[in-house]
Amino acid sequence: MLCGMAVQIPIMMVGAVFMALRQDRQLAWLFAVLIPLLFLAVGIVATRMIPNFRKLQARLDTLNRVLREQITGIRVVRAFVREPRERARFGTANDELTDVSVRAGRWLATFFPLMLMIVNIASVAVIWFGGHLVNSGQMQVGALTAFLSYLMQVMMSVMMGTFVFMQVPRSSVCADRIEEVLGTEPSVVPPAAGVATSALRGELTFDGVDFTYPGAEQPVLSEISLTASRGQTIAVIGSTGAGKSTLLNLVPRLFDATAGTVLVDGVDVRAWDPEALGSRLGLVPQKAFLFSGTIRSNLRYGKDDATEAELWHALEVAQAADFVRALEEGLDAPVVQGGTNFSGGQRQRLAIARALVRRPEIYLFDDSFSALDLATDARLRAALKPETVDACVVIVAQRVSTIRDADVILVLDDGRIVGRGTHVELLAGNETYQEIVASQLSAEEAA
Ligand SMILES: Nc1ncnc2c1ncn2[C@@H]1O[C@H](COP(=O)(O)OP(=O)(O)OP(=O)(O)O)[C@@H](O)[C@H]1O
Ligand SMILES: [Mg+2]
């Protein structure tokens, strides 16, 4: 719209002024008075309107945010009986939006009448002064009519121009925000020509890795070194907030290490082609996230061409086959947004199956067995063993029973590795591990 009008309007305006002056010079001074007057009026209204439109957009944002939060958090709101407070919070956001909308609306409402008033005054002025000229024989009636039409064209151009101009403040606010998104420098930059193959398979190495979240003062991980080779199971245990999830997130490059290197199959993750790297990793995130669709579409998320047999096999291993079979639609059972029509444990097992379908070389389980009962947990791990002989497995867990069979257990405390060894070794000589064990198992069980 802007581009079309931006070409048309100046041509119309200059052309009409030129033609009008050719008709008659004596009324030229009317242009000199009316056009600046029109621009002045437009200027005043526009300068009042722009800040209001900016605020309008920001408040619309707030309102959307509040509403979205309330819809996603509706269960929490209900459980805490906070409806009145939430209603008030929405009310405040809504009032603020109404307030600024009304203000912007008022300026908008004055705008067109003001324009029309000036245009009509202009025609009265032309007829008045032109009439006298016609009366005294200095001007033809035809010339007067022509002059009037040209003047109207000029005025209309200005009005149309301002109409476009009025969209500018709103558009510029929107453009700023698009610009902000597009202008954000990703902290994780894919390499120009990424490595796509490696002779090694199923090897994960951390070499002196430090990590600090952007803007944080303290590092979350410091001096992490570990090697997990093919067929090995590495476990990471540590108190909540120790940095376990962060450690796993460095492997698929959700973040890049601030110092040191993370190597997958002997190649720095930063050098890997993102797709090739992704195909080697199977991450089961701490918060099992399912997409809306069906169980089938979710399982195929990592491998589009997975066969029916592969899907069922993955479900068997993940101990999810029983409950999927019990569903009337089986694999075609619907999954609602966020997967909330399944229990936490079912979601977790489906997320595990999703990673298994992919047959990756490096499995990353982030506390993925936490929602399973001990028996299911044990069965799952037993079924996982033969699946992962060709892969390396990293299990993050809080429960000692989940990780006691791991080849190497790393004890993470406050972002540092404070213990390394098998269950028996750590139990004998690591204080932090002993504390964790003591808090969970009876002495007899631990032994
Ligand atoms: N996106 C983030 N931005 C800033 N700090 C973060 C972010 N994610 C985590 N942290 C901080 O990093 C630390 C480690 O978090 P992390 O999620 O790795 O812990 P965790 O060991 O997985 O804990 P849990 O057992 O509860 O899952 C925490 O202190 C947390 O506050
Ligand atoms: Mg975590």
Side-chain angles (χ1 to χ4, degrees):
M1 212 162 108
L2 184 71
C3 290
M5 296 229 175
V7 175
Q8 189 191 346
I9 290 165
I11 295 175
M12 288 255 296
M13 223 175 120
V14 174
V17 171
F18 178 75
M19 294 303 282
L21 292 184
R22 249 182 41 156
Q23 281 298 333
D24 193 277
R25 298 263 162 94
Q26 298 164 78
L27 289 176
W29 63 271
L30 273 175
F31 281 109
V33 175
L34 288 171
I35 293 175
L37 186 68
L38 206 55
F39 274 115
L40 189 73
V42 170
I44 290 173
V45 176
T47 48
R48 299 290 147 91
M49 228 155 36
I50 290 173
N52 278 320
F53 273 130
R54 278 191 188 280
K55 269 193 225 149
L56 187 77
Q57 217 71 21
R59 290 183 185 180
L60 195 61
D61 230 27
T62 314
L63 190 80
N64 278 333
R65 204 186 51 234
V66 170
L67 191 63
R68 193 170 343 148
E69 224 171 64
Q70 289 173 343
I71 292 171
T72 43
I74 184 106
R75 290 181 185 174
V76 181
V77 173
R78 285 236 196 99
F80 283 79
V81 202
R82 293 304 252 176
E83 284 103 329
R85 207 189 76 117
E86 290 301 321
R87 206 170 289 140
R89 198 155 77 102
F90 180 84
T92 313
N94 195 23
D95 286 346
E96 279 176 359
L97 177 65
T98 310
D99 191 42
V100 77
S101 306
V102 167
R103 237 179 304 146
R106 279 208 187 109
W107 282 109
L108 205 61
T110 39
F111 189 73
F112 281 106
L114 188 67
M115 290 297 114
L116 283 174
M117 192 175 82
I118 295 174
V119 170
N120 286 321
I121 288 174
S123 32
V124 170
V126 169
I127 294 167
W128 177 268
F129 293 108
H132 283 297
L133 289 176
V134 171
N135 234 357
S136 59
Q138 287 167 285
M139 196 181 186
Q140 298 293 315
V141 177
L144 178 66
T145 316
F147 190 88
L148 193 61
S149 326
Y150 289 133
L151 185 79
M152 282 301 139
Q153 278 211 351
V154 175
M155 293 295 193
M156 284 301 159
S157 313
V158 176
M159 267 180 67
M160 255 158 53
T162 48
F163 177 71
V164 173
F165 186 70
M166 264 161 26
Q167 308 290 328
V168 172
R170 293 195 87 161
S171 322
S172 88
V173 175
C174 299
D176 280 350
R177 312 168 86 220
I178 294 171
E179 174 74 26
E180 248 172 65
V181 174
L182 294 181
T184 303
E185 290 282 334
S187 62
V188 174
V189 192
V195 179
T197 56
S198 164
L200 289 169
R201 291 185 76 80
E203 287 237 351
L204 176 66
T205 312
F206 275 64
D207 185 15
V209 170
D210 287 358
F211 181 72
T212 311
Y213 275 106
E217 284 173 15
Q218 297 290 323
V220 173
L221 295 173
S222 12
E223 295 162 44
I224 303 289
S225 290
L226 69 91
T227 313
S229 39
R230 191 165 158 181
Q232 253 191 336
T233 301
I234 301 274
V236 182
I237 195 166
S239 53
T240 169
K244 304 183 296 295
S245 299
T246 309
L247 182 84
L248 288 193
N249 289 345
L250 293 181
V251 184
R253 286 192 81 193
L254 301 187
F255 291 100
D256 271 341
T258 29
T261 43
V262 179
L263 301 111
V264 166
D265 294 340
V267 178
D268 190 335
V269 287
R270 281 168 288 200
W272 271 106
D273 174 65
E275 213 155 297
L277 177 67
S279 72
R280 291 184 177 225
L281 305 175
L283 173 73
V284 183
Q286 185 162 19
K287 192 167 180 287
F289 186 89
L290 301 179
F291 292 92
S292 53
T294 59
I295 292 185
R296 191 195 307 274
S297 69
N298 270 286
L299 293 183
R300 284 208 173 134
Y301 195 71
K303 192 178 176 206
D304 293 330
D305 53 356
T307 63
E308 205 82 346
E310 282 177 305
L311 299 184
W312 279 111
H313 179 70
L315 287 172
E316 291 288 353
V317 175
Q319 308 298 311
D322 286 345
F323 83 81
V324 175
R325 222 173 271 127
L327 296 170
E328 211 167 290
E329 292 112 318
L331 282 176
D332 291 312
V335 177
V336 304
Q337 193 179 9
T340 45
N341 58 336
F342 290 99
S343 79
Q346 288 172 336
R347 265 205 302 275
Q348 242 178 11
R349 278 176 282 168
L350 289 176
I352 293 170
R354 176 174 61 193
L356 284 167
V357 167
R358 220 166 177 199
R359 305 218 125 267
E361 290 162 29
I362 297 173
Y363 288 88
L364 305 164
F365 294 108
D366 190 354
D367 221 356
S368 311
F369 310 115
S370 60
L372 309 181
D373 58 76
L374 288 173
T376 312
D377 178 359
R379 259 186 285 133
L380 203 163
R381 276 180 296 112
L384 207 56
K385 264 264 147 62
E387 290 298 304
T388 57
V389 281
D390 267 348
C392 97
V393 180
V394 182
I395 298 180
V396 162
Q398 304 268 14
R399 275 206 307 247
V400 175
S401 61
T402 307
I403 56 145
R404 58 192 292 170
D405 304 324
D407 298 308
V408 183
I409 299 170
L410 301 172
V411 186
L412 206 61
D413 188 26
D414 217 2
R416 283 174 191 279
I417 294 178
V418 295
R420 190 188 294 258
T422 61
H423 176 66
V424 177
E425 287 164 12
L426 288 170
L427 201 56
N430 189 281
E431 212 176 299
T432 317
Y433 193 70
Q434 284 163 354
E435 277 170 23
I436 297 172
V437 172
S439 69
Q440 295 181 15
L441 304 178
S442 63
E444 196 180 327
E445 272 179 304

